[in-house]
Amino acid sequence: MGYPLSRPEIAPEDIAAVTEVLNSPHLALGPKLAAFEKAFAEYIGTTYAVAVNSGTSGLHLAIRALDLGKGDEIITTPFSFVASANCILFEQALPKFVDIDPVTLNMDPDRIRKAVTKRTKAILVVHVFGLPCDMRAIEEVADEYDLAIIEDACEAIGATCDGTKVGTFGDAGVFAFYPNKQMTTGEGGMLVTDDAQTAELASSMRNQGRTAKSSWLAHERLGYNYRMDEMSAALGLSQLSRIDKMLAKRSRVASWYKKALEEVEGVSPLSDVEGCQRSWFVYVVLLDRGHTRSEVMERLESWGVDCRAYFPPIHLQPLYRDLFGYKVGDFPVTEEIAGRTLALPFYNSLRQSDVEDIVEQLARAIK
Ligand SMILES: *Cc1c(COP(=O)(O)O)cnc(C)c1O
């Protein structure tokens, strides 16, 4: 029997919610969109939430709404999914990478401070693998140099730092609902903020530059079609209604992994951080130095255990090498960690016996 890397939890009530929309006259810009936004803002604890058609769209709108652009430096991490840096390139701003902390795998706040220049306008933090960044330290730097903060919380819905949910720290926060995330809308994303102007701009730009008051063919600014449709919004609303239950299931699967891994040599789970509650997005382990990850992965795949090398460093992607001339050695901590990470099958319906089976196969693959 095989194990996929991820699998969304689609319940009968999710299917009913989407079907209800399909039987209604509104497939776009209808009541589900507004209801999903309202419920999401309430869940995160922000004043506003603007639904969009992907996490990447949400990040792009955050950059634009905060008026970041040509020549502006934005400090961010090279250890992430590529979209968190690409959104900076969309607006001809400059991603200024800083290396990560080897324990949290998030940006190292000391390095952030050192990376600030006169042209720095913002810090784009990524809560990698659902673990909150050290927001207190990052807010301190941002306050000192008057920088905006964008939170890429696409992997971290429900995660907390000293009891406060991620997404509420920054000038804008962005979540994503691709099918491998903790909750899904198919494709989809959400920008959250407490700032009325940021919300209004994001809402207008996702809808071709229209405003709440303008007629359908009046466009007040450059806009996009980043709208979320009603089927997605209905699915999101239905999934959100049991998000805490889903997160608890994932947390339980993660605890089974941690327990089973105690018996295995050559591999360790990610570290916990005091005061921070991780939201479990993927289950990533670190292989000890000296193992050839590609061989381990090949064996696991051949036995039907899906796995993935999350994440290759962004600065070493062909695009970033071409644009900026990055090379191996530029961000050594990121590169060292990125060479040893391995994401294992992780989804809500995994049973403890499945996890034990997977870990047994992992142990065999490492030997
Ligand atoms: C998933 C993800 C995104 C956005 O993904 P979309 O596929 O555009 O919804 C952005 N940043 C990170 C770190 C992610 O994991």
Side-chain angles (χ1 to χ4, degrees), residues 162-212:
D162 294 328
T164 305
K165 282 207 180 89
V166 300
T168 60
F169 294 98
D171 296 275
V174 178
F175 293 86
F177 310 125
Y178 190 72
N180 71 336
K181 310 280 179 181
Q182 292 91 324
M183 63 168 275
T184 189
T185 60
E187 297 281 4
M190 191 77 80
L191 182 153
V192 297
T193 181
D194 285 328
D195 182 62
Q197 192 193 334
T198 302
E200 208 178 299
L201 285 171
S203 177
S204 169
M205 286 188 286
R206 76 162 166 198
N207 187 19
Q208 309 283 14
R210 296 177 178 110
T211 64

Short mmCIF file of all heavy atoms in Angstrom, two decimals, residues 162-212:
data_model
loop_
_atom_site.label_atom_id
_atom_site.label_comp_id
_atom_site.label_asym_id
_atom_site.label_seq_id
_atom_site.Cartn_x
_atom_site.Cartn_y
_atom_site.Cartn_z
N ASP A 162 3.36 33.28 21.51
CA ASP A 162 2.90 33.80 22.80
C ASP A 162 1.37 33.96 22.81
O ASP A 162 0.84 34.96 23.31
CB ASP A 162 3.56 35.14 23.13
CG ASP A 162 5.06 34.99 23.35
OD1 ASP A 162 5.47 33.91 23.84
OD2 ASP A 162 5.82 35.91 23.02
N GLY A 163 0.68 33.02 22.22
CA GLY A 163 -0.78 33.02 22.23
C GLY A 163 -1.44 33.87 21.16
O GLY A 163 -2.66 33.87 21.03
N THR A 164 -0.64 34.61 20.39
CA THR A 164 -1.21 35.47 19.34
C THR A 164 -1.07 34.80 17.97
O THR A 164 0.01 34.31 17.63
CB THR A 164 -0.49 36.83 19.31
OG1 THR A 164 -0.56 37.39 20.63
CG2 THR A 164 -1.13 37.78 18.32
N LYS A 165 -2.15 34.80 17.21
CA LYS A 165 -2.12 34.11 15.91
C LYS A 165 -1.26 34.83 14.89
O LYS A 165 -1.27 36.07 14.80
CB LYS A 165 -3.54 33.98 15.35
CG LYS A 165 -4.37 32.88 15.98
CD LYS A 165 -5.44 32.38 15.00
CE LYS A 165 -6.28 31.28 15.62
NZ LYS A 165 -7.46 31.77 16.34
N VAL A 166 -0.52 34.06 14.09
CA VAL A 166 0.23 34.65 12.99
C VAL A 166 -0.77 35.22 11.98
O VAL A 166 -1.90 34.75 11.88
CB VAL A 166 1.17 33.64 12.29
CG1 VAL A 166 2.19 33.09 13.25
CG2 VAL A 166 0.39 32.52 11.60
N GLY A 167 -0.34 36.25 11.29
CA GLY A 167 -1.23 36.97 10.39
C GLY A 167 -1.69 38.28 11.00
O GLY A 167 -2.11 39.20 10.31
N THR A 168 -1.58 38.36 12.34
CA THR A 168 -2.01 39.59 13.03
C THR A 168 -0.84 40.51 13.35
O THR A 168 -1.03 41.62 13.82
CB THR A 168 -2.72 39.27 14.36
OG1 THR A 168 -1.79 38.56 15.22
CG2 THR A 168 -3.94 38.41 14.14
N PHE A 169 0.39 40.03 13.13
CA PHE A 169 1.57 40.83 13.50
C PHE A 169 1.91 41.87 12.44
O PHE A 169 2.35 42.98 12.76
CB PHE A 169 2.79 39.92 13.72
CG PHE A 169 2.65 38.99 14.88
CD1 PHE A 169 2.25 37.67 14.70
CD2 PHE A 169 2.91 39.44 16.17
CE1 PHE A 169 2.13 36.81 15.78
CE2 PHE A 169 2.79 38.58 17.26
CZ PHE A 169 2.40 37.26 17.06
N GLY A 170 1.77 41.51 11.19
CA GLY A 170 2.26 42.36 10.10
C GLY A 170 1.27 43.44 9.68
O GLY A 170 0.14 43.49 10.16
N ASP A 171 1.72 44.30 8.76
CA ASP A 171 0.81 45.26 8.12
C ASP A 171 -0.18 44.51 7.24
O ASP A 171 -1.30 44.96 7.02
CB ASP A 171 1.61 46.26 7.29
CG ASP A 171 2.52 47.08 8.17
OD1 ASP A 171 2.05 48.09 8.70
OD2 ASP A 171 3.69 46.68 8.36
N ALA A 172 0.28 43.38 6.73
CA ALA A 172 -0.61 42.48 5.99
C ALA A 172 -0.11 41.05 6.20
O ALA A 172 1.10 40.82 6.35
CB ALA A 172 -0.61 42.82 4.50
N GLY A 173 -1.03 40.12 6.23
CA GLY A 173 -0.68 38.70 6.34
C GLY A 173 -1.37 37.95 5.21
O GLY A 173 -2.44 38.38 4.75
N VAL A 174 -0.75 36.89 4.75
CA VAL A 174 -1.32 36.15 3.62
C VAL A 174 -1.38 34.65 3.94
O VAL A 174 -0.41 34.08 4.44
CB VAL A 174 -0.50 36.39 2.33
CG1 VAL A 174 -1.07 35.59 1.17
CG2 VAL A 174 -0.47 37.89 1.99
N PHE A 175 -2.53 34.06 3.61
CA PHE A 175 -2.73 32.62 3.80
C PHE A 175 -3.02 31.98 2.44
O PHE A 175 -3.41 32.68 1.50
CB PHE A 175 -3.91 32.38 4.76
CG PHE A 175 -3.61 32.85 6.16
CD1 PHE A 175 -3.83 34.17 6.52
CD2 PHE A 175 -3.09 31.98 7.10
CE1 PHE A 175 -3.53 34.62 7.80
CE2 PHE A 175 -2.78 32.41 8.39
CZ PHE A 175 -3.00 33.74 8.73
N ALA A 176 -2.82 30.67 2.37
CA ALA A 176 -3.05 29.97 1.10
C ALA A 176 -3.86 28.71 1.33
O ALA A 176 -3.76 28.08 2.38
CB ALA A 176 -1.71 29.63 0.45
N PHE A 177 -4.63 28.34 0.32
CA PHE A 177 -5.55 27.21 0.45
C PHE A 177 -5.40 26.18 -0.66
O PHE A 177 -6.37 25.54 -1.07
CB PHE A 177 -7.00 27.73 0.50
CG PHE A 177 -7.23 28.84 1.49
CD1 PHE A 177 -7.79 30.04 1.08
CD2 PHE A 177 -6.87 28.69 2.82
CE1 PHE A 177 -8.01 31.09 1.97
CE2 PHE A 177 -7.08 29.73 3.74
CZ PHE A 177 -7.65 30.93 3.31
N TYR A 178 -4.19 26.05 -1.19
CA TYR A 178 -3.91 24.98 -2.15
C TYR A 178 -4.21 23.63 -1.47
O TYR A 178 -4.14 23.55 -0.23
CB TYR A 178 -2.44 25.09 -2.58
CG TYR A 178 -2.07 24.22 -3.75
CD1 TYR A 178 -2.52 24.54 -5.03
CD2 TYR A 178 -1.30 23.06 -3.58
CE1 TYR A 178 -2.21 23.73 -6.11
CE2 TYR A 178 -0.98 22.25 -4.65
CZ TYR A 178 -1.44 22.59 -5.91
OH TYR A 178 -1.13 21.78 -6.97
N PRO A 179 -4.53 22.58 -2.26
CA PRO A 179 -4.97 21.33 -1.61
C PRO A 179 -3.99 20.67 -0.63
O PRO A 179 -4.39 19.83 0.17
CB PRO A 179 -5.24 20.40 -2.81
CG PRO A 179 -5.59 21.33 -3.92
CD PRO A 179 -4.74 22.55 -3.71
N ASN A 180 -2.72 21.04 -0.67
CA ASN A 180 -1.80 20.43 0.32
C ASN A 180 -1.71 21.23 1.62
O ASN A 180 -1.01 20.82 2.54
CB ASN A 180 -0.40 20.25 -0.29
CG ASN A 180 0.34 21.56 -0.48
OD1 ASN A 180 -0.27 22.61 -0.59
ND2 ASN A 180 1.66 21.49 -0.53
N LYS A 181 -2.41 22.35 1.70
CA LYS A 181 -2.34 23.17 2.93
C LYS A 181 -3.30 22.60 3.99
O LYS A 181 -4.08 21.71 3.72
CB LYS A 181 -2.70 24.62 2.63
CG LYS A 181 -1.96 25.24 1.45
CD LYS A 181 -0.56 25.70 1.78
CE LYS A 181 0.09 26.26 0.52
NZ LYS A 181 1.44 26.72 0.67
N GLN A 182 -3.25 23.20 5.19
CA GLN A 182 -4.05 22.68 6.31
C GLN A 182 -5.55 22.73 6.01
O GLN A 182 -6.31 21.92 6.50
CB GLN A 182 -3.76 23.47 7.59
CG GLN A 182 -2.36 23.25 8.15
CD GLN A 182 -1.34 24.24 7.63
OE1 GLN A 182 -1.40 24.65 6.46
NE2 GLN A 182 -0.40 24.64 8.47
N MET A 183 -6.00 23.76 5.27
CA MET A 183 -7.38 23.77 4.76
C MET A 183 -7.32 24.20 3.30
O MET A 183 -6.38 24.87 2.89
CB MET A 183 -8.28 24.72 5.57
CG MET A 183 -7.90 26.17 5.54
SD MET A 183 -9.17 27.29 6.20
CE MET A 183 -10.22 27.51 4.74
N THR A 184 -8.32 23.78 2.52
CA THR A 184 -8.24 24.06 1.10
C THR A 184 -9.51 24.69 0.54
O THR A 184 -10.61 24.51 1.09
CB THR A 184 -7.91 22.78 0.30
OG1 THR A 184 -7.64 23.14 -1.07
CG2 THR A 184 -9.04 21.78 0.34
N THR A 185 -9.33 25.43 -0.56
CA THR A 185 -10.46 25.90 -1.36
C THR A 185 -10.24 25.46 -2.81
O THR A 185 -10.80 26.04 -3.73
CB THR A 185 -10.58 27.44 -1.31
OG1 THR A 185 -9.36 28.01 -1.84
CG2 THR A 185 -10.79 27.96 0.09
N GLY A 186 -9.42 24.45 -3.03
CA GLY A 186 -8.92 24.13 -4.38
C GLY A 186 -7.73 25.04 -4.60
O GLY A 186 -6.67 24.85 -4.02
N GLU A 187 -7.88 26.06 -5.41
CA GLU A 187 -6.93 27.17 -5.45
C GLU A 187 -7.52 28.28 -4.58
O GLU A 187 -8.74 28.46 -4.54
CB GLU A 187 -6.75 27.71 -6.87
CG GLU A 187 -6.16 26.72 -7.86
CD GLU A 187 -4.64 26.56 -7.75
OE1 GLU A 187 -4.04 27.16 -6.85
OE2 GLU A 187 -4.08 25.82 -8.58
N GLY A 188 -6.67 29.04 -3.91
CA GLY A 188 -7.23 30.15 -3.14
C GLY A 188 -6.24 30.72 -2.15
O GLY A 188 -5.22 30.10 -1.82
N GLY A 189 -6.55 31.93 -1.70
CA GLY A 189 -5.71 32.58 -0.70
C GLY A 189 -6.49 33.67 -0.01
O GLY A 189 -7.64 33.96 -0.36
N MET A 190 -5.87 34.28 1.02
CA MET A 190 -6.55 35.32 1.79
C MET A 190 -5.52 36.31 2.29
O MET A 190 -4.49 35.92 2.83
CB MET A 190 -7.27 34.68 2.98
CG MET A 190 -8.22 35.59 3.72
SD MET A 190 -9.80 35.88 2.88
CE MET A 190 -10.71 34.40 3.29
N LEU A 191 -5.82 37.59 2.07
CA LEU A 191 -4.99 38.65 2.66
C LEU A 191 -5.73 39.19 3.86
O LEU A 191 -6.92 39.50 3.79
CB LEU A 191 -4.76 39.76 1.61
CG LEU A 191 -3.87 40.94 2.02
CD1 LEU A 191 -3.21 41.54 0.77
CD2 LEU A 191 -4.64 42.03 2.75
N VAL A 192 -5.03 39.29 5.00
CA VAL A 192 -5.66 39.84 6.20
C VAL A 192 -4.91 41.09 6.63
O VAL A 192 -3.69 41.20 6.43
CB VAL A 192 -5.69 38.82 7.37
CG1 VAL A 192 -6.53 37.60 7.01
CG2 VAL A 192 -4.29 38.39 7.78
N THR A 193 -5.63 42.02 7.22
CA THR A 193 -5.02 43.28 7.68
C THR A 193 -5.96 43.99 8.64
O THR A 193 -7.18 43.73 8.64
CB THR A 193 -4.68 44.20 6.48
OG1 THR A 193 -4.06 45.39 6.96
CG2 THR A 193 -5.94 44.58 5.71
N ASP A 194 -5.40 44.89 9.44
CA ASP A 194 -6.22 45.75 10.29
C ASP A 194 -6.37 47.13 9.67
O ASP A 194 -7.06 47.99 10.22
CB ASP A 194 -5.57 45.90 11.68
CG ASP A 194 -5.76 44.64 12.51
OD1 ASP A 194 -6.80 43.96 12.35
OD2 ASP A 194 -4.87 44.33 13.32
N ASP A 195 -5.71 47.36 8.55
CA ASP A 195 -5.69 48.67 7.94
C ASP A 195 -6.75 48.78 6.83
O ASP A 195 -6.73 48.02 5.86
CB ASP A 195 -4.30 48.94 7.36
CG ASP A 195 -4.21 50.32 6.74
OD1 ASP A 195 -4.37 51.30 7.47
OD2 ASP A 195 -4.01 50.41 5.51
N ALA A 196 -7.65 49.74 6.99
CA ALA A 196 -8.77 49.88 6.06
C ALA A 196 -8.30 50.16 4.64
O ALA A 196 -8.83 49.60 3.67
CB ALA A 196 -9.69 51.01 6.53
N GLN A 197 -7.26 50.98 4.50
CA GLN A 197 -6.79 51.33 3.15
C GLN A 197 -6.16 50.13 2.46
O GLN A 197 -6.38 49.90 1.26
CB GLN A 197 -5.80 52.48 3.22
CG GLN A 197 -5.53 53.06 1.84
CD GLN A 197 -4.31 53.98 1.82
OE1 GLN A 197 -3.95 54.55 2.84
NE2 GLN A 197 -3.69 54.11 0.67
N THR A 198 -5.38 49.36 3.20
CA THR A 198 -4.75 48.16 2.62
C THR A 198 -5.83 47.19 2.15
O THR A 198 -5.75 46.62 1.05
CB THR A 198 -3.85 47.48 3.68
OG1 THR A 198 -2.87 48.42 4.10
CG2 THR A 198 -3.16 46.25 3.11
N ALA A 199 -6.86 47.02 2.97
CA ALA A 199 -7.95 46.11 2.61
C ALA A 199 -8.69 46.61 1.37
O ALA A 199 -9.00 45.84 0.46
CB ALA A 199 -8.92 45.97 3.78
N GLU A 200 -8.93 47.90 1.34
CA GLU A 200 -9.67 48.49 0.22
C GLU A 200 -8.87 48.37 -1.08
O GLU A 200 -9.42 48.01 -2.13
CB GLU A 200 -9.93 49.96 0.55
CG GLU A 200 -11.16 50.53 -0.10
CD GLU A 200 -11.34 51.99 0.33
OE1 GLU A 200 -11.48 52.21 1.55
OE2 GLU A 200 -11.29 52.86 -0.55
N LEU A 201 -7.57 48.65 -1.00
CA LEU A 201 -6.73 48.55 -2.20
C LEU A 201 -6.66 47.10 -2.68
O LEU A 201 -6.78 46.83 -3.88
CB LEU A 201 -5.31 49.05 -1.89
CG LEU A 201 -5.15 50.57 -1.78
CD1 LEU A 201 -3.75 50.92 -1.27
CD2 LEU A 201 -5.40 51.22 -3.15
N ALA A 202 -6.46 46.17 -1.76
CA ALA A 202 -6.36 44.76 -2.15
C ALA A 202 -7.66 44.30 -2.78
O ALA A 202 -7.67 43.61 -3.81
CB ALA A 202 -6.01 43.91 -0.93
N SER A 203 -8.76 44.73 -2.18
CA SER A 203 -10.06 44.32 -2.68
C SER A 203 -10.33 44.89 -4.08
O SER A 203 -10.89 44.21 -4.95
CB SER A 203 -11.12 44.81 -1.68
OG SER A 203 -12.38 44.52 -2.14
N SER A 204 -9.89 46.11 -4.31
CA SER A 204 -10.05 46.73 -5.62
C SER A 204 -9.14 46.08 -6.66
O SER A 204 -9.57 45.76 -7.78
CB SER A 204 -9.75 48.23 -5.52
OG SER A 204 -9.65 48.81 -6.79
N MET A 205 -7.88 45.87 -6.28
CA MET A 205 -6.92 45.33 -7.25
C MET A 205 -7.20 43.88 -7.62
O MET A 205 -6.88 43.45 -8.71
CB MET A 205 -5.49 45.47 -6.71
CG MET A 205 -4.99 46.90 -6.76
SD MET A 205 -3.25 47.05 -6.34
CE MET A 205 -3.27 46.79 -4.58
N ARG A 206 -7.82 43.14 -6.72
CA ARG A 206 -8.14 41.75 -7.09
C ARG A 206 -9.28 41.73 -8.11
O ARG A 206 -9.50 40.75 -8.80
CB ARG A 206 -8.55 40.93 -5.87
CG ARG A 206 -9.95 41.26 -5.42
CD ARG A 206 -10.59 40.27 -4.54
NE ARG A 206 -11.78 40.91 -3.97
CZ ARG A 206 -12.42 40.51 -2.91
NH1 ARG A 206 -12.01 39.45 -2.27
NH2 ARG A 206 -13.48 41.15 -2.47
N ASN A 207 -10.01 42.82 -8.19
CA ASN A 207 -11.20 42.87 -9.05
C ASN A 207 -11.04 43.93 -10.13
O ASN A 207 -11.87 44.82 -10.26
CB ASN A 207 -12.44 43.11 -8.18
CG ASN A 207 -13.73 43.01 -8.97
OD1 ASN A 207 -13.77 42.43 -10.06
ND2 ASN A 207 -14.79 43.58 -8.43
N GLN A 208 -9.95 43.86 -10.89
CA GLN A 208 -9.75 44.69 -12.08
C GLN A 208 -9.71 46.19 -11.78
O GLN A 208 -9.97 47.01 -12.66
CB GLN A 208 -10.84 44.43 -13.14
CG GLN A 208 -11.07 42.97 -13.51
CD GLN A 208 -10.01 42.41 -14.45
OE1 GLN A 208 -8.95 43.01 -14.63
NE2 GLN A 208 -10.28 41.26 -15.02
N GLY A 209 -9.39 46.55 -10.52
CA GLY A 209 -9.30 47.96 -10.19
C GLY A 209 -10.64 48.63 -9.97
O GLY A 209 -10.72 49.86 -9.89
N ARG A 210 -11.67 47.82 -9.86
CA ARG A 210 -12.99 48.40 -9.53
C ARG A 210 -12.98 48.76 -8.04
O ARG A 210 -12.20 48.22 -7.27
CB ARG A 210 -14.10 47.39 -9.78
CG ARG A 210 -14.25 46.99 -11.23
CD ARG A 210 -15.34 45.93 -11.40
NE ARG A 210 -15.50 45.59 -12.80
CZ ARG A 210 -15.14 44.42 -13.33
NH1 ARG A 210 -14.63 43.46 -12.58
NH2 ARG A 210 -15.30 44.19 -14.62
N THR A 211 -13.90 49.65 -7.66
CA THR A 211 -14.08 49.91 -6.24
C THR A 211 -15.49 49.47 -5.85
O THR A 211 -16.31 49.14 -6.72
CB THR A 211 -13.92 51.40 -5.88
OG1 THR A 211 -14.98 52.11 -6.53
CG2 THR A 211 -12.57 51.92 -6.34
N ALA A 212 -15.73 49.49 -4.55
CA ALA A 212 -17.04 49.07 -4.06
C ALA A 212 -18.15 49.91 -4.70
O ALA A 212 -19.26 49.43 -4.92
CB ALA A 212 -17.09 49.17 -2.54
#
